[in-house]
Amino acid sequence: MKYPFETGDWTFEQLDLAVSVIGEIAEEYGLDTYPNQLEVISAEQMIDAYTSIGLPIHYGHWSYGKEFIRTLQSYRRGEMGLAYEMVINSNPCISYLMEENTMVLQTLVIAHAAFGHNAFFKNNYLFRMWTDADGIIDYLVFARDYIRRCEERHGEKRVEFLLDACHALAPYGVDRYQKPKPLSAEDEERRAMERLEFERESYDEVWRTVPIAMTPSTRQPMDTPEENLLYFFEKKGMKLRPWEKEIIRIVRKLQQYFYPQAQTKVSNEGYASFWHYTLVNALYDRGHVSEKFMLEFMKHHSNVVFQPDYDDPRYSGLNPYKLGFSIYSDIRRICEQPTEEDAHWFPELVGKPWTEAVHEAMRDYRDDSFIAQFLSPKVIRDLKLFIAVDDDRDDSVEIGAIHDERGYRQVRESLSRLYERNNFVPDIQIIGANWDSDRVLTLRHTRYQRRPLDERQAQDTLQYVADLWGFPVVLESEEEGQVIEMLSAEPDRSLDRD
């Protein structure tokens, strides 16, 4: 029997056939995807995509070039490998395939990216709420061209400073609770021109020369604290020119585009891994691929979901591919072959069509809620999860939860909390600005689980805040309602252009 994917090397005809056959099976399983666009690229092109934060078109910045050289040198020395694929949340969905891949690996990548990630991008509620797959490519072109024009008109130094500052504050450039109205690239450019014209007509040089009041400053609290720092400077930065605010807006909008991806690493990668495994096994069951093909496929799949032990030099925490794949696979098992334990923990899943359950788990959850809802005792046992409490106020380490009824719930709750945003982005908000006196801007950091900020990083980042604001800034770090640490920064006057 001749199998269409049997040969080690691939051809474009084989790729087209793979997309067609896998697409038919995916449709039977109910995967709803954007149209696919496959791009076959070299290793250097993949590294270029890596270092441009995964975007096919991006504005220039020195950090991307630095990262490109570092990654390329590490790759050529054999110190690191490259991802099998890269996929863009766009319509059509763009998937990059490495030209060095074998046909088996290309098949895995097509199932993983072109159908797994693609369906996740189109249907997960966070992506539907916060991203515009139809307009992202046009907006990237607008952003690249706009910043290039700014460099030509206003100088590379000032543009570089703005991008450095915005990138340092990028984690604080997202909205979490409001759905922005999506605009087309044409509308974005028109709105940008309107804002520039309004700022030009209403600009008054007097504001830039008003002396700072000599009266003692009194903190003027804001009606509502602002957690989106870039949005605050875009709207209220008194020393920023209109074109500078537009650059802040570009970085803020791109950061918003990536916000869902940071919230769905486990569920997104797990969903894609679950479907590449399911779809390729369906190819084998239907006689499209041979056992030889499957042996190579299982080797690659095992690499994707490999979880090093805690004392392995390769260990860097839980592998999101492994954790997500395990949970989705367990949802299918519970639907098809439930045990008494499953009936107790997940009565709503028992007997439910597994495709419906898997798609629902993908659509309506982010990582923390996904784990809190679907992490089962079986997966906890399989992954050997337990709680070790390492409190800096205690000399000993306590085993906080083991594999019993109470322990399962504690493990699930604790693991879920590890994927909350507060664990990787400190809670910092603008709480006051002295508009009528010295214009000191006050920020408040609320410690999460008594964790302090890294003082050096905090001071460096606060300097960017002061430089963007143009006046002194103060950062208060509080715990249980008490301010226990303060940092401050003065703007670098050498950055003033007048």
Side-chain angles (χ1 to χ4, degrees):
M1 182 175 181
K2 184 176 181 180
Y3 301 99
F5 310 142
E6 189 64 49
T7 57
D9 296 330
W10 55 269
T11 66
F12 286 104
E13 289 74 19
Q14 286 178 313
L15 294 183
D16 288 339
L17 182 61
V19 172
S20 175
V21 174
I22 294 173
E24 291 177 4
I25 300 173
E27 189 173 351
E28 292 177 17
Y29 284 128
L31 272 76
D32 178 23
T33 62
Y34 293 121
N36 275 302
Q37 177 179 327
L38 303 184
E39 303 279 352
V40 180
I41 61 176
S42 65
E44 288 195 2
Q45 289 172 315
M46 178 64 83
I47 293 173
D48 186 42
Y50 263 13
T51 52
S52 299
I53 57 175
L55 296 174
I57 303 165
H58 205 20
Y59 56 77
H61 186 252
W62 62 268
S63 62
Y64 305 145
K66 177 183 176 183
E67 183 63 20
F68 175 82
I69 293 173
R70 189 194 68 79
T71 306
L72 181 62
Q73 290 177 340
S74 295
Y75 175 70
R76 286 177 173 171
R77 287 196 295 263
E79 297 172 353
M80 63 172 288
L82 296 179
Y84 296 152
E85 47 77 26
M86 186 167 287
V87 58
I88 309 300
N89 172 27
S90 59
N91 183 15
C93 182
I94 302 172
S95 299
Y96 294 124
L97 283 64
M98 290 266 285
E99 63 182 0
E100 291 88 347
N101 292 348
T102 64
M103 187 58 212
V104 175
L105 200 46
Q106 302 291 35
T107 306
L108 183 155
V109 167
I110 290 169
H112 184 97
F115 291 95
H117 282 310
N118 188 342
F120 198 97
F121 291 151
K122 187 175 182 182
N123 296 283
N124 178 264
Y125 84 100
L126 279 175
F127 285 87
R128 294 201 314 271
M129 181 180 295
W130 294 114
T131 65
D132 175 19
D134 293 325
I136 183 61
I137 300 299
D138 290 339
Y139 188 75
L140 291 173
V141 172
F142 159 72
R144 180 197 61 189
D145 294 345
Y146 183 86
I147 289 179
R148 185 178 295 165
R149 290 197 298 270
C150 287
E151 289 175 334
E152 294 170 354
R153 293 174 184 174
H154 308 289
E156 292 183 358
K157 183 178 179 182
R158 184 65 185 177
V159 173
E160 182 178 297
F161 154 71
L162 284 167
L163 291 176
D164 287 349
C166 290
H167 290 179
L169 299 175
Y172 302 98
V174 298
D175 293 313
R176 292 192 290 167
Y177 304 110
Q178 296 178 354
K179 182 179 184 302
K181 182 180 179 182
L183 295 175
S184 66
E186 292 77 14
D187 288 339
E188 286 284 355
E189 187 149 15
R190 178 181 55 77
R191 292 276 296 273
M193 293 300 107
E194 290 175 353
R195 282 193 293 274
L196 284 171
E197 183 61 20
F198 174 78
E199 296 278 358
R200 187 187 65 77
E201 291 178 352
S202 60
Y203 181 74
D204 191 336
E205 187 66 18
V206 170
W207 284 105
R208 298 174 55 78
T209 58
V210 172
I212 295 175
M214 299 303 292
T215 55
S217 64
T218 302
R219 178 188 295 180
Q220 297 176 340
M222 297 167 58
D223 294 336
T224 305
E226 179 58 68
E227 65 176 359
N228 191 332
L229 306 193
L230 292 183
Y231 180 81
F232 177 86
F233 293 126
E234 176 192 329
K235 298 300 180 185
K236 299 183 179 179
M238 290 188 293
K239 286 199 168 186
L240 294 169
R241 296 289 176 82
W243 67 269
E244 294 174 324
K245 293 182 178 180
E246 192 60 37
I247 288 181
I248 294 175
R249 177 178 166 80
I250 286 171
V251 176
R252 181 175 67 80
K253 287 184 71 69
L254 292 180
Q255 189 65 21
Q256 191 73 55
Y257 170 80
F258 285 109
Y259 172 67
Q261 298 195 28
Q263 304 292 308
T264 57
K265 185 70 174 175
V266 171
S267 53
N268 191 353
E269 295 297 355
Y271 186 75
S273 300
F274 172 81
W275 280 112
H276 81 228
Y277 181 83
T278 302
L279 293 172
V280 174
N281 272 279
L283 288 176
Y284 174 72
D285 293 339
R286 300 179 187 202
H288 294 299
V289 297
S290 68
E291 293 179 349
K292 176 184 175 184
F293 180 100
M294 290 303 291
L295 281 174
E296 182 180 341
F297 165 76
M298 289 307 298
K299 173 178 177 294
H300 294 307
H301 171 73
S302 299
N303 289 337
V304 171
V305 298
F306 174 63
Q307 175 60 61
D309 292 333
Y310 75 95
D311 55 352
D312 189 303
R314 295 166 292 182
Y315 179 79
S316 60
L318 277 174
N319 178 352
Y321 295 78
K322 173 66 175 179
L323 180 58
F325 175 77
S326 299
I327 294 176
Y328 281 111
S329 298
D330 204 47
I331 291 173
R332 178 174 181 174
R333 181 195 62 78
I334 294 171
C335 292
E336 293 185 320
Q337 300 173 327
T339 63
E340 290 186 8
E341 181 182 59
D342 298 325
H344 172 66
W345 280 73
F346 302 99
E348 73 283 0
L349 292 180
V350 174
K352 188 173 185 175
W354 69 267
T355 51
E356 181 181 334
V358 167
H359 292 322
E360 184 178 299
M362 170 272 291
R363 278 196 305 267
D364 302 331
Y365 299 89
R366 62 188 186 203
D367 282 350
D368 54 338
S369 56
F370 172 69
I371 293 168
Q373 183 68 27
F374 296 108
L375 183 65
S376 70
K378 180 180 184 304
V379 173
I380 293 174
R381 289 192 295 270
D382 290 347
L383 299 183
K384 301 180 176 62
L385 302 177
F386 62 95
I387 296 177
V389 182
D390 187 8
D391 193 322
D392 60 344
R393 297 168 297 186
D394 196 336
D395 293 334
S396 59
V397 176
E398 177 189 356
I399 302 303
I402 58 173
H403 294 173
D404 56 18
E405 175 77 14
R406 183 181 175 189
Y408 291 137
R409 296 187 187 280
Q410 290 180 333
V411 169
R412 187 163 72 170
E413 183 181 340
S414 296
L415 188 60
S416 168
R417 284 203 302 268
L418 289 180
Y419 290 89
E420 293 176 352
R421 179 178 162 86
N422 284 342
N423 269 295
F424 46 91
V425 180
D427 179 9
I428 296 177
Q429 302 181 23
I430 297 173
I431 60 170
N434 301 343
W435 304 102
D436 298 332
S437 55
D438 56 9
R439 302 172 198 165
V440 170
L441 190 71
T442 305
L443 297 86
R444 179 182 60 204
H445 164 233
T446 303
R447 291 190 174 184
Y448 179 69
Q449 296 182 342
R450 299 185 299 104
R451 294 178 193 163
L453 295 172
D454 181 286
E455 185 172 344
R456 181 175 177 182
Q457 287 189 9
Q459 191 65 59
D460 290 345
T461 307
L462 196 62
Q463 186 61 53
Y464 281 122
V465 175
D467 294 339
L468 282 178
W469 179 234
F471 300 100
V473 297
V474 174
L475 173 66
E476 301 174 348
S477 184
E478 70 170 35
E479 184 177 316
E480 298 178 350
Q482 299 294 320
V483 176
I484 57 178
E485 186 178 10
M486 292 184 67
L487 297 173
S488 63
E490 297 282 340
D492 182 354
R493 298 300 179 190
S494 67
L495 294 171
D496 290 345
R497 293 143 298 155
D498 295 335

